[in-house]
Amino acid sequence: MSLLIKKTVDALRSTPVRVGFLVLVVLLAVYAVVSQWDDIVAAMAGMNPLLLLGSLLAGMIYVLLTMLAWRVLLADMGTTLPLSAAFRVFFVSQLGKYMPGGVWNILAAAELGADHDIPRRRSVSVMAVTVIVSIVTGAALAVVMMPFASDQLRDSYGWVSWTLPVFVVMLLPPVLNRLLALVFRLTGRPPLEHPVSWSGIGACTAWTLVAWAVAGIQVWLLGIGIGMAGSPATLALCIGGYAMAWTVGFLIVFVPAGAGVREGVLGLVLAGSLTTGGVVAVVLLSRVVLTVADLVMGGGSLLTMRRVSGLRHTK
């Protein structure tokens, strides 16, 4: 078994595998946009371009905030990455979300992090804990929104509320550190050098909550462009609704980046504020906006990686 693991790790480190992986995830992300191009054009018809641009800007800020949440937790667990390096490791690895399975971005982060002397077990742990923080905060916002949700939404996805206590307990540092230690002991790996602290969890949670707010603004701006009333109530609905949609989409792990599931939940959230056609347009555009944001950030980071690699070779 140990020989098989070693061969697998060696294969992941090889240049052809890395290049092939990056090419594949970029193509899948691009396909997610191109395959729906006619619907995208129809959805944008008549929309104020400034609202669409504002939504794209909010989407890019959202993914940037998720990187900052990951980076602050990585620092808490022993590695402080400069922003430039954090950009490259995080945003390139996040393109792996577009591959089925739900783990490729984590594996990519571990391999890219190893180039910066980050132990793989630390990279995987940080990404896993960041996901748990996202689930806890997303489920908490969903619980707050649930009394104002439709009966259909509560009947179909009310179970998300029941996951919150479980993940909250898992996130408590005394429990979380024991769980991580158990996992590494069972897999024959050495324990983490730096346990997760209360301050690290708190900082990651704060960044994540801000990220959810900005993600909700991204949806809200699209909704206004399609005909939604621009009020504090609809803004709160979009923030809680997107957080809930992401949480459900992630927990159903067999779909790449929550595709389909996330849109279905968000559609139910928005159903009382928009026409049926408006709901479809907002849900579709939100998916495209965030995919474009991932591509812009990931593509920019890939170009930076090539430039840095070229500079190293010329020295």
Side-chain angles (χ1 to χ4, degrees):
M1 180 64 71
S2 59
L3 180 60
L4 177 61
I5 293 174
K6 183 179 183 302
K7 287 183 176 180
T8 302
V9 171
D10 289 341
L12 290 173
R13 291 177 182 174
S14 67
T15 299
V17 170
R18 285 191 172 195
V19 172
F21 173 81
L22 292 175
V23 170
L24 179 60
V25 295
V26 169
L27 289 176
L28 287 171
V30 171
Y31 176 76
V33 176
V34 174
S35 63
Q36 304 178 83
W37 186 248
D38 291 339
D39 293 333
I40 294 167
V41 173
M44 291 190 299
M47 176 178 282
N48 187 329
L50 291 178
L51 288 173
L52 186 59
L53 182 61
S55 178
L56 179 58
L57 179 61
M60 294 180 68
I61 294 173
Y62 162 64
V63 296
L64 175 63
L65 288 167
T66 61
M67 184 275 288
L68 294 175
W70 165 82
R71 180 173 177 260
V72 76
L73 191 60
L74 181 65
D76 180 64
M77 296 177 72
T79 300
T80 301
L81 276 183
L83 273 174
S84 58
F87 263 78
R88 292 191 293 272
V89 173
F90 185 82
F91 288 121
V92 173
S93 69
Q94 288 306 288
L95 293 174
K97 293 185 301 183
Y98 295 93
M99 294 184 67
V103 298
W104 296 106
N105 59 316
I106 297 176
L107 294 177
E111 289 305 311
L112 293 170
D115 295 339
H116 296 272
D117 300 320
I118 305 173
R120 287 176 175 79
R121 64 185 184 282
R122 183 180 300 167
S123 288
V124 172
S125 299
V126 171
M127 195 64 76
V129 175
T130 303
V131 167
I132 296 173
V133 170
S134 295
I135 292 172
V136 168
T137 51
L141 290 171
V143 168
V144 172
M145 184 203 67
M146 200 64 73
F148 309 100
S150 65
D151 291 339
Q152 185 179 359
L153 183 67
R154 285 196 297 270
D155 292 343
S156 299
Y157 299 105
W159 55 266
V160 173
S161 303
W162 297 102
T163 67
L164 181 58
V166 175
F167 285 107
V168 167
V169 171
M170 288 177 60
L171 197 58
L172 300 176
V175 176
L176 183 60
N177 288 319
R178 286 183 173 85
L179 287 174
L180 291 173
L182 176 62
V183 170
F184 288 124
R185 186 163 62 249
L186 292 175
T187 56
R189 302 285 180 177
L192 293 171
E193 300 88 347
H194 300 273
V196 185
S197 71
W198 286 98
S199 61
I201 292 293
C204 184
T205 298
W207 280 116
T208 304
L209 285 171
V210 176
W212 286 137
V214 175
I217 291 172
Q218 172 262 143
V219 175
W220 187 60
L221 291 173
L222 292 174
I224 293 173
I226 299 296
M228 176 186 286
S231 67
T234 55
L235 175 59
L237 181 72
C238 289
I239 292 173
Y242 183 82
M244 179 179 184
W246 183 95
T247 302
V248 173
F250 183 86
L251 292 176
I252 302 177
V253 297
F254 299 106
V255 183
V261 177
R262 188 177 303 169
E263 285 79 359
V265 177
L266 188 57
L268 287 177
V269 171
L270 300 175
S273 303
L274 288 166
T275 64
T276 301
V279 168
V280 173
V282 170
V283 167
L284 174 63
L285 286 175
S286 177
R287 161 65 65 171
V288 171
V289 162
L290 293 179
T291 301
V292 170
D294 281 335
L295 276 171
V296 170
M297 292 296 198
S301 299
L302 277 171
L303 292 175
T304 304
M305 286 177 65
R306 291 187 62 182
R307 190 178 304 118
V308 170
S309 177
L311 288 173
R312 286 175 180 169
H313 286 307
T314 57
K315 289 182 179 178

